[in-house]
């Protein structure tokens, strides 16, 4: 699975050994408070670094899209498509607009969702001026996606009985499958080795990744459905690029899409722009397969965010390095008020906290939260703040997400605690449900407390029956669909669509909160498909000896592999039923044929091509 790090209300924190944790004053703006609330903690911290050093270094520079000294990569959101006049306002502030979602090419016959979004390069000292524009609803840092994860034949061919379908003459002929991932830099090597056919349509390519994950995904599809045509569009560097990739592929005439991008900042408790775009295309005939996500072992239970009136694990303080004191923390797992982790030297993580009040982006652009939650990373004693994200949410103002990046730059293993604190409740009608997940940006991030798989799906895969999501089973362990194991990291649902408090009429704040209305859950993932399958490892991508010509020497793990595996099965099945089957009908057949497995995380079961 490919992860897009485009964040909101986040703190980009370098350990104190490198840069001191930001003081309370760093989050204070001289601008109007409503405008200040649009600027997340992470952008304020990045601006402070840019003012001193020019731009970020280390893990931050690898995660963030590169910008020239003194400038920050920023996603500027609005409630409606951003006009030329509004772009001119940005330009007058020294902002360079790199991509405007209003310029995406329309897909004939498909009414895709629209919102205001531009990817921009912003002078570090102009954040508040941009936020003060009355049409701007939120600012986000632009952070680069990161990888989660011929003679070589993917083991899924046998596991999903694609070999038997091929023996009956089914090859996926008549389908054109588009892939969205990082890049395909060494595509020619895979073609030369006989792993992929000539003539693959590369519509959008990136120079940022050098990982060839897209090449590996297409090798899996080609093994499963060798008669299908292939196209590729890179996710490039920003959310806007990712959303545009769907438009690009649809306009190129694809009939199916497999994608492996995780957008941790898309709404967890709503259908955001990514999920809505995919489901809209599926309603209009383009079948979509997305990765379920790899956070099954890095996700907490969905608890009610009620403060306990105490510090983490009963600690009373004093607290050091904390811009606000974590003295009203939330129970995160049973009666436990922290998640204990261990970071080895050099290890880095990205935690994400969201809760069930409106986000300031699509589909509730301009709205905001009522419960003010803060996210902390404490040391092992629970008294020292190593990282904090503490943007303000109150009375329908402020985006309901907190995130930061932290790296252990010491020479010793570092015990740490993730902690959520209730800073205020303003006019919230009830305590919201929280979602806490943490992603390892490097090796060496180890859980001490157990995680909870339920609710750990990628937020951009919040599908409600049209587009599909694929969890992962280990084809390297067994190709028997009744025995192949569910991967521990494979994400699962349910998808929860819920708003606990909102403004009257769904209008932007400030307001006095009213109950959020009904809620519902939807099962996920749709099904499971194979991962840890053999690929050629073109460009060095994969685990093991890569590249290789030896079966099993280089494998592709993660739900990034299960999404194309599912697409291969779907292509064979669609051809079998005439080639033009509507996605909802195709989904019903795939679910009916799947080998049922009990337990959460399997969805309808292990996909089968016959």
């Amino acid at each position: 699975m490919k992860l897009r790090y485009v964040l909101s209300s986040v703190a980009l924190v370098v350990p104190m050994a490198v840069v001191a944790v930001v003081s309370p004053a760093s989050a204070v703006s001289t601008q109007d408070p409503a405008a200040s609330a649009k600027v997340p903690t992470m952008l304020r911290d990045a601006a402070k670094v840019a003012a001193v050093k020019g731009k970020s270094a280390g893990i931050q520079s690898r995660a963030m899209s590169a910008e020239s000294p003194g400038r920050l990569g920023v996603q500027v959101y609005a409630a409606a498509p951003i006009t030329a006049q509004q772009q001119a306002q940005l330009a007058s502030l020294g902002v360079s607009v790199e991509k405007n979602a209003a310029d995406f090419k329309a897909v004939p016959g498909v009414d895709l969702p629209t919102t205001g979004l531009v990817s921009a390069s912003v002078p570090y000292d102009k954040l508040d001026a941009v936020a003060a524009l009355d049409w701007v609803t939120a600012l986000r840092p632009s952070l680069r996606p990161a990888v989660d994860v011929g003679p070589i034949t993917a083991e899924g061919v046998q596991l999903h009985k694609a070999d038997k379908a091929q023996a009956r003459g089914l090859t996926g002929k008549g389908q054109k499958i588009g892939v969205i991932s990082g890049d395909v830099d060494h595509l020619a090597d895979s073609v030369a080795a006989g792993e992929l056919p000539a003539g693959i349509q590369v519509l959008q390519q990136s120079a940022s990744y050098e990982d060839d994950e897209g090449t590996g995904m297409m090798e899996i599809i080609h093994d499963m459905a060798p008669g299908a045509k292939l196209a590729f569009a890179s996710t490039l560097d920003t959310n806007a690029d990712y959303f545009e990739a769907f438009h690009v592929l649809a306009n190129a005439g694809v009939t199916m899409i497999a994608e492996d991008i995780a957008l941790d900042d898309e709404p967890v408790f709503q259908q955001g722009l990514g999920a809505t775009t995919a489901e809209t295309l599926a309603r209009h005939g383009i079948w979509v397969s997305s990765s379920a996500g790899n956070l099954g072992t890095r996700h907490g239970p969905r608890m009610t965010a009620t403060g306990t009136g105490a510090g983490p694990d009963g600690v009373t303080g004093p607290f050091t390095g904390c811009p606000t004191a974590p003295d009203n923390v939330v129970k995160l797992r049973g009666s436990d008020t922290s998640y204990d982790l261990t970071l080895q030297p050099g290890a880095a993580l990205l935690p994400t906290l969201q809760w069930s009040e409106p986000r300031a982006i699509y589909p509730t652009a301009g709205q905001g939260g009522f419960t003010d939650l803060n996210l902390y990373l404490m040391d092992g004693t629970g008294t020292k703040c190593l990282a904090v994200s503490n943007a303000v949410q109150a009375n329908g103002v402020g985006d309901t997400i907190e995130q930061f990046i932290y790296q252990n730059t010491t020479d010793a293993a570092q015990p740490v605690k993730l902690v959520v604190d209730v800073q205020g409740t303003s006019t919230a009608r009830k305590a919201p449900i929280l979602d806490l997940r943490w992603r390892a940006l490097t090796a060496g991030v180890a859980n001490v407390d157990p995680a909870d798989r339920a609710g750990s799906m990628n937020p951009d895969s919040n599908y409600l029956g049209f587009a599909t999501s694929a969890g992962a089973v280990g084809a390297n362990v067994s190709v028997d669909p009744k025995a192949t194991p569910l991967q521990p990291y494979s994400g699962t649902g349910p998808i929860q669509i819920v708003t606990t408090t909102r403004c009257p009429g769904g209008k932007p704040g400030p307001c006095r909160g009213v109950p959020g209305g009904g809620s519902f859950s939807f099962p996920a993932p749709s099904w499971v498909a194979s991962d840890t399958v053999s690929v050629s490892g073109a460009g060095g991508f994969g685990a093991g000896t890569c590249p290789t010509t030896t079966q099993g020497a280089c494998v592709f793990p993660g739900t990034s592999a299960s999404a194309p595996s599912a697409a291969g099965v779907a292509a064979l099945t669609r051809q079998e039923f005439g080639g033009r089957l509507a996605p909802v009908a195709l989904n019903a057949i795939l679910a009916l044929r799947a080998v049922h497995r009990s337990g959460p995380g399997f969805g309808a079961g292990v996909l089968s091509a016959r």
Side-chain angles (χ1 to χ4, degrees), residues 548-562:
T548 187
T549 57
T550 302
Q551 179 79 23
C554 177
V555 295
F556 186 167
T559 55
S560 284
S562 59

Side-chain angles (χ1 to χ4, degrees), residues 234 263 376 384 458 495:
S234 172
L263 305 178
Y376 295 82
K384 180 180 179 181
N458 287 339
I495 306 303

Side-chain angles (χ1 to χ4, degrees), residues 7-41:
L7 311 180
S8 159
S9 296
V10 290
L12 175 60
V13 180
V14 183
M16 295 183 71
V18 180
V19 176
V21 172
V22 179
S23 67
S26 70
V28 174
S29 169
T30 58
Q31 299 290 324
D32 176 72
S36 180
K38 302 175 188 177
V39 185
T41 309

Side-chain angles (χ1 to χ4, degrees), residues 307-516:
T308 60
D313 297 335
V315 171
T316 58
F319 301 105
T320 61
C322 302
T324 49
D327 53 9
N328 190 25
V329 299
V330 173
K331 294 178 181 179
L332 298 177
R333 187 179 57 85
S335 61
D336 196 348
T337 56
S338 71
Y339 257 99
D340 290 281
L341 311 172
T342 300
L343 306 181
Q344 296 300 318
L349 81 163
L350 167 66
T352 303
L353 171 69
Q354 294 194 54
W355 55 104
S356 59
E357 294 172 351
R359 293 287 310 277
I361 63 173
Y362 180 95
T364 50
Q367 299 184 48
F370 298 82
T371 307
D372 187 2
L373 298 183
N374 294 334
L375 178 62
Y376 295 82
L377 188 72
M378 311 296 293
D379 72 350
T381 70
T383 62
K384 180 180 179 181
C385 287
L386 303 173
V388 180
S389 183
N390 64 336
V392 175
Q393 300 86 20
N395 297 318
V397 176
D399 204 3
T400 52
I401 184 170
E402 302 285 354
Q403 295 173 302
F404 54 74
I405 292 173
Y406 177 83
Q407 184 172 31
N408 175 15
T409 58
T410 72
D411 295 328
Q414 191 174 39
V416 298
K417 298 176 180 289
L418 283 170
V419 173
V420 176
D421 184 81
V422 180
Q423 185 71 18
T425 58
S426 65
T427 57
R429 295 302 297 267
K430 63 188 300 186
I433 303 166
L434 63 81
D435 180 277
L436 177 64
R437 57 188 65 208
W438 53 98
R439 191 175 295 275
L441 302 185
T442 65
V445 178
N447 292 5
V448 176
D449 289 335
D452 189 306
R453 189 196 298 265
S456 60
M457 292 282 296
N458 287 339
D460 49 301
S461 296
N462 276 0
Y463 300 147
L464 304 179
F466 292 91
T468 72
S469 54
V473 288
N476 60 318
V477 177
S478 173
V479 292
D480 178 355
K482 296 180 180 179
T484 186
L486 183 69
Q487 297 287 25
Y489 47 75
S490 184
T492 190
I495 306 303
Q496 288 182 274
I497 305 299
V498 55
T499 302
T500 43
T501 305
R502 61 178 176 83
C503 284
K507 295 181 180 179
C511 70
R512 187 170 188 83
V514 298

Side-chain angles (χ1 to χ4, degrees), residues 28 31 61 69 121 149 171 176 184 220 222 226 237 240 265 321 342 357 418 505 516-517 564 566 581 586:
V28 174
Q31 299 290 324
S61 65
S121 174
V149 287
T171 64
K176 183 177 181 180
V184 289
I220 292 171
H222 185 61
D237 292 321
D265 78 322
T342 300
E357 294 172 351
L418 283 170
L581 205 60
L586 178 56

Side-chain angles (χ1 to χ4, degrees), residues 105-123:
K105 186 177 179 181
V107 178
V110 182
D111 186 17
L112 288 172
T114 59
T115 193
L117 170 60
V118 297
S119 299
S121 174
V122 179

